Amino acid sequence: MKHSASRILVSLAAALSTSLTFAQSAPKAATLPPITLDEYLNTTDIAGARISPDGTSAIIGTESPDWKANTFRHTLSLWTAKEGLRPLTQSGTDEDAQWSPDGKWVAFLSDRPVSDSGSSDANTRDGDSGDAKARSAKAGDADDQTSRLWLISLSGGEARPLYREKLDVHTFAWSADGKNIYFSVTTPLTQKQEDAKKVDWKDVIRWREQERGDLLLSLPVAESLANTAAYPPAHPAKSDTAALPLTTGALTLTTSTLDIDQIAPSPDGKSIAFLTTSISHRMENPADTEIFLVPAVANSQARQITKNLGLESGLRWSHDGHWLHFAVHAAAGSAEGKYQDVQGRLYRMNLTDEAGKIERPGIERLGTDFTGSLEDFDLLPNGDLIAVGLKGIEQQLYLISGEKATKLPGKPGTYAGISVPQTGNALLVRFSTFNHPAQVYLAEDARHLDQLTPLTNLNPVFAERAQPEWQPYTWKSPDGTSVEGVLIFPPGKKGEKHLRMLTFIHGGPADADGNKFEADWYDWAALAAAHGWLVFRPNYRGSSGYGDDFMLQIAPHLVSKPGEDILAGVDALVKDGYADPDKLAIGGYSYGGYMTNWLITETTRFKVAVTGAGAVEHAANGGNDDVTWDDAWYLNGRPWESPELYQGEAALFRMNRVKTPTHIVQGNSDVRVSYLEGVTLERALQQLGIPHSFLVFPGEGHSLARNPWHGYIKVREELKWLDKYVSN
């Protein structure tokens, strides 16, 4: 149900050196051409950005569609004040970059092939051009898709792997002194076990029985670089009983029966905190997501230090090593009490008891006076905690001190992805507004976010096209609750009346639409506005950013309660004259698809619908959904505990009411909303004789992240379907 962040981008442009500015006032919309579909889906997303330890440089990761190769490219770029922004890697598979503590190296994950020399000729510091990955494949195993750890020196030279073995890294982190890198991998089988598996089971999947937990490994950096540079490389001797293939020099610090999802070494280097999650990544039990502490020595026993029904994330040590901070994001439970989907929260634990007498340290919640949702955060060198806070349609940065959350000076819009150095007062952050694409900015003083220097200039085409205008919109739901959303007008038509209107419902449901830039296959509201639609984006009950009470009211009426909010908003817009009642459309993806499927059974007023990855029932989908615990909370229990809600809140049992022509899309490898939900919806519409279309994207999961053409075709056909039934 929850939607993962979408993945679409382009190449980086030269860095700018001026203070925070946006594109100069463009000519009136009537004089500019509208954005095209090709331009819209060739946009940039910033996959990650990290500031250097001394605050003078930054590594920026991006993802862009490679239309010829039918894939997405992941690249890393380096920004310095002296040289600006330039490519650091060019393989197209490089991500999750992390600085060494001394700022001389960057470690990252990549599935690029390993050549015989232990390096890849695709990855010089200056970024070689051409089809580098294809060239490097000639020297190595072209079929090897292992996600390994790689290092590149900021003083120049090629990127080098830290090992050659086929060990897929789940997560990694530098040691405090930079001499080692800690990382997690699935516990390997012995040679004897591997051989027996091939003989006994062939290609049979043994659902839970074949799942294995993780090893937490420590790898010495200097020794590993020397080993991979040697040819022929040194390999551990094969053994029937040894767990292979472990790389030379790697020490096993501990084993886990679960997947290790994040690693946070303590500042003094004596211990490591790590976060676990389900091996299968199916969220069947929140108890699978907990924090552990282990000494940074070989073959140690890890100690569990949390036990709650929240999904912890974002481990951060205080600089003195006394406190371990973490977050629980919106709709991921909490560290207190029973499971419930509330706003994002921040916590800390005191870990100063070196004797380990405190089995589970007391947890302190931070920023409790903030009524919105606290998500990402980081700690400044002086100990100040800076957090991203969503409140209504704006996402700003806040200084968190105990229970108090103080908004920092900033521009209206959306801040995200903060990164702080080890020294100084600087802060790296992403910022966007509705019509201004996200860029990476540097603040010399983290307390003054209204004074930012842009490091990127991505997606300049949007400033050269007619831009939609938007405004907040509020209305009353039938029970008197005030609900907020946004209206997006076609370029040059702000305030006009009797427009054809698309009600475009966000996913989650723990999300909110507002003053932020979005341009991809999932969120194409601005493109719809450019095509002449008034777009209504409601932040219904269950949305984040409006307080716990507002969010909790979605349960146990998973679709009917938000549905009342949305239909009341449509009624208000018709009454206010904005929307033409004879030209109404509806659509959404993920939970937005759930709601679309429900609402076309509630009313026939929508002339057309576009829906994606939305369930039509909750029992069978609950068996396939990778967040089944969450679904059970929404509906007051499992299917056999609350059958009346599972049926009453499901569109499938009301399909005889549907009259709306409906376009459906689904990835056939989706584990969030089963592909069979789309098949079931299509079958019902076929049997009822309702005009419909069904597109299936092979190999795609819940997020269409495999092939950019799938997202392109999705949006192209959705716009066609809308225009077919509602003229401009």
Side-chain angles (χ1 to χ4, degrees):
M1 190 180 305
K2 300 186 184 78
H3 170 70
S4 303
S6 51
R7 306 162 60 99
I8 294 182
L9 305 101
V10 290
S11 60
L12 290 168
L16 303 177
S17 59
T18 58
S19 297
L20 172 60
T21 57
F22 298 123
Q24 295 182 353
S25 297
K28 292 183 178 180
T31 67
L32 292 174
I35 195 82
T36 67
L37 175 63
D38 288 38
E39 293 168 335
Y40 195 81
L41 291 186
N42 201 40
T43 53
T44 297
D45 188 20
I46 299 162
R50 290 179 182 260
I51 197 168
S52 63
D54 64 3
T56 64
S57 306
I59 295 292
I60 299 171
T62 62
E63 184 183 69
S64 58
D66 186 334
W67 303 103
K68 292 183 179 180
N70 302 323
T71 190
F72 292 94
R73 291 181 58 82
H74 298 258
T75 60
L76 302 175
S77 293
L78 172 67
W79 177 88
T80 62
K82 181 179 179 180
E83 299 181 359
L85 193 66
R86 63 175 178 174
L88 184 67
T89 67
Q90 286 282 340
S91 83
T93 67
D94 308 326
E95 54 190 344
D96 194 19
Q98 296 187 30
W99 290 91
S100 63
D102 62 8
K104 295 180 179 180
W105 294 86
V106 171
F108 60 93
L109 297 181
S110 179
D111 67 358
R112 63 176 73 183
V114 178
S115 70
D116 290 340
S117 64
S119 65
S120 171
D121 64 0
N123 304 289
T124 61
R125 182 174 183 273
D126 294 326
D128 197 7
S129 61
D131 191 356
K133 186 172 182 179
R135 292 199 309 275
S136 65
K138 296 178 182 178
D141 182 0
D143 296 324
D144 182 5
Q145 298 296 308
T146 303
S147 180
R148 294 180 177 87
L149 275 165
W150 290 72
L151 249 63
I152 190 167
S153 171
L154 272 295
S155 63
E158 298 178 353
R160 307 196 68 87
L162 279 181
Y163 59 87
R164 296 169 175 271
E165 291 77 15
K166 293 184 178 181
L167 292 171
D168 278 303
V169 174
H170 297 163
T171 186
F172 74 96
W174 288 87
S175 65
D177 60 11
K179 293 181 179 179
N180 297 283
I181 288 184
Y182 306 125
F183 64 103
S184 63
V185 299
T186 300
T187 301
L189 298 174
T190 65
Q191 189 66 56
K192 185 176 181 179
Q193 289 170 332
E194 190 68 51
D195 293 342
K197 176 185 174 184
K198 293 177 182 178
V199 171
D200 294 341
W201 297 105
K202 310 302 181 187
D203 60 350
V204 174
I205 297 171
R206 292 174 295 147
W207 198 238
R208 298 185 192 275
E209 288 82 357
Q210 71 182 36
E211 294 177 351
R212 304 191 304 279
D214 273 11
L215 299 179
L216 177 60
L217 304 177
S218 175
L219 197 62
V221 174
E223 178 184 339
S224 299
L225 287 174
N227 182 58
T228 55
Y231 189 80
H235 288 292
K238 286 191 175 183
S239 166
D240 284 343
T241 58
L244 295 175
L246 285 182
T247 184
T248 300
L251 293 177
T252 299
L253 301 183
T254 195
T255 61
S256 170
T257 58
L258 295 162
D259 183 283
I260 296 176
D261 193 49
Q262 187 179 349
I263 300 168
S266 64
D268 63 8
K270 294 181 180 180
S271 58
I272 301 167
F274 64 86
L275 183 68
T276 61
T277 190
S278 163
I279 298 172
S280 65
H281 294 272
R282 298 185 300 270
M283 205 279 280
E284 297 176 310
N285 187 351
D288 289 341
T289 304
E290 299 293 354
I291 302 172
F292 291 76
L293 195 65
V294 64
V297 295
N299 302 314
S300 297
Q301 181 67 41
R303 177 166 61 97
Q304 183 175 341
I305 58 175
T306 61
K307 186 177 182 180
N308 55 61
L309 296 180
L311 307 184
E312 299 91 340
S313 63
L315 303 183
R316 299 280 193 282
W317 288 88
S318 61
H319 296 283
D320 60 11
H322 291 170
W323 298 90
L324 182 65
H325 298 75
F326 64 92
V328 176
H329 290 162
S334 69
E336 312 97 341
K338 64 181 182 180
Y339 184 92
Q340 55 182 352
D341 278 358
V342 291
Q343 308 286 290
R345 299 179 177 185
L346 302 182
Y347 303 90
R348 69 175 185 175
M349 298 181 290
N350 191 323
L351 300 179
T352 55
D353 185 0
E354 296 181 359
K357 295 178 182 178
I358 303 176
E359 287 299 317
R360 295 191 180 94
I363 296 176
E364 177 185 353
R365 184 180 166 193
L366 304 173
T368 55
D369 71 349
F370 182 68
T371 58
S373 186
L374 295 171
E375 302 285 337
D376 188 22
F377 72 98
D378 211 336
L379 294 161
L380 294 174
N382 66 1
D384 286 348
L385 191 154
I386 307 292
V388 173
L390 173 65
K391 194 170 183 178
I393 60 175
E394 302 281 342
Q395 186 164 285
Q396 298 287 307
L397 295 191
Y398 293 80
L399 176 66
I400 308 297
S401 179
E403 297 180 352
K404 190 173 181 57
T406 304
K407 182 179 173 297
L408 295 171
K411 302 284 187 180
T414 294
Y415 292 86
I418 54 178
S419 174
V420 303
Q422 293 180 3
T423 60
N425 298 316
L427 179 143
L428 201 69
V429 68
R430 300 196 298 272
F431 179 75
S432 73
T433 65
F434 182 82
N435 275 322
H436 297 93
Q439 310 294 348
V440 178
Y441 294 90
L442 179 65
E444 294 185 5
D445 185 345
R447 291 174 177 268
H448 291 282
L449 298 167
D450 51 346
Q451 301 172 18
L452 299 176
T453 299
L455 309 189
T456 59
N457 182 27
L458 306 170
N459 307 320
V461 68
F462 284 87
E464 301 165 2
R465 298 294 179 264
Q467 295 181 336
E469 296 180 90
W470 71 281
Q471 67 183 45
Y473 186 77
T474 59
W475 66 97
K476 295 287 186 180
S477 201
D479 63 2
T481 299
S482 181
V483 187
E484 183 180 41
V486 294
L487 284 181
I488 306 167
F489 292 86
K493 293 189 176 182
K494 186 176 183 181
E496 288 195 14
K497 301 297 181 71
H498 304 293
L499 299 170
R500 64 173 184 170
M501 186 176 80
L502 168 63
T503 299
F504 197 29
I505 307 169
H506 69 69
D511 196 0
D513 290 310
N515 191 9
K516 59 183 176 181
F517 180 85
E518 301 281 359
D520 53 49
W521 63 267
Y522 168 72
D523 195 331
W524 43 274
L527 182 64
H531 279 249
W533 288 91
L534 170 66
V535 183
F536 171 43
R537 310 221 64 184
N539 291 332
Y540 47 81
R541 240 81 65 97
S543 299
S544 51
Y546 294 92
D548 288 346
D549 289 343
F550 186 87
M551 192 170 178
L552 288 168
Q553 289 180 52
I554 192 174
H557 302 292
L558 175 58
V559 287
S560 59
K561 177 62 72 173
E564 290 177 357
D565 293 344
I566 294 168
L567 291 180
V570 173
D571 288 340
L573 287 163
V574 169
K575 182 178 179 181
D576 288 346
Y578 287 111
D580 185 334
D582 296 321
K583 293 187 175 182
L584 300 177
I586 192 167
Y589 190 90
S590 189
Y591 180 80
Y594 276 64
M595 281 307 316
T596 298
N597 299 342
W598 172 265
L599 288 174
I600 61 175
T601 72
E602 278 284 282
T603 177
T604 59
R605 67 192 309 184
F606 297 111
K607 307 304 180 185
V608 61
V610 290
T611 182
V616 291
E617 56 77 48
H618 310 296
N621 188 60
N624 292 284
D625 190 347
D626 63 342
V627 286
T628 53
W629 186 271
D630 193 57
D631 289 348
W633 175 80
Y634 280 118
L635 291 165
N636 271 5
R638 300 174 181 89
W640 52 90
E641 296 168 331
S642 188
E644 69 287 347
L645 280 170
Y646 274 77
Q647 179 166 333
E649 294 289 312
L652 180 62
F653 303 101
R654 304 152 52 95
M655 292 302 295
N656 58 305
R657 305 181 183 187
V658 176
K659 304 297 180 184
T660 306
T662 303
H663 178 81
I664 314 162
V665 298
Q666 190 89 35
N668 73 350
S669 297
D670 195 342
V671 297
R672 180 64 48 84
V673 178
S674 172
Y675 158 67
L676 294 177
E677 294 295 311
V679 174
T680 301
L681 174 58
E682 190 280 335
R683 180 70 58 84
L685 295 175
Q686 176 70 16
Q687 292 175 340
L688 292 167
I690 305 300
H692 67 281
S693 176
F694 185 27
L695 300 182
V696 179
F697 303 115
E700 295 286 8
H702 197 58
S703 179
L704 306 185
R706 184 170 176 265
N707 186 337
W709 285 109
H710 292 158
Y712 182 96
I713 293 169
K714 171 188 178 291
V715 178
R716 182 191 70 193
E717 296 307 306
E718 286 171 329
L719 286 170
K720 285 183 180 178
W721 189 262
L722 292 173
D723 286 341
K724 179 178 180 180
Y725 291 95
V726 178
S727 60
N728 199 345

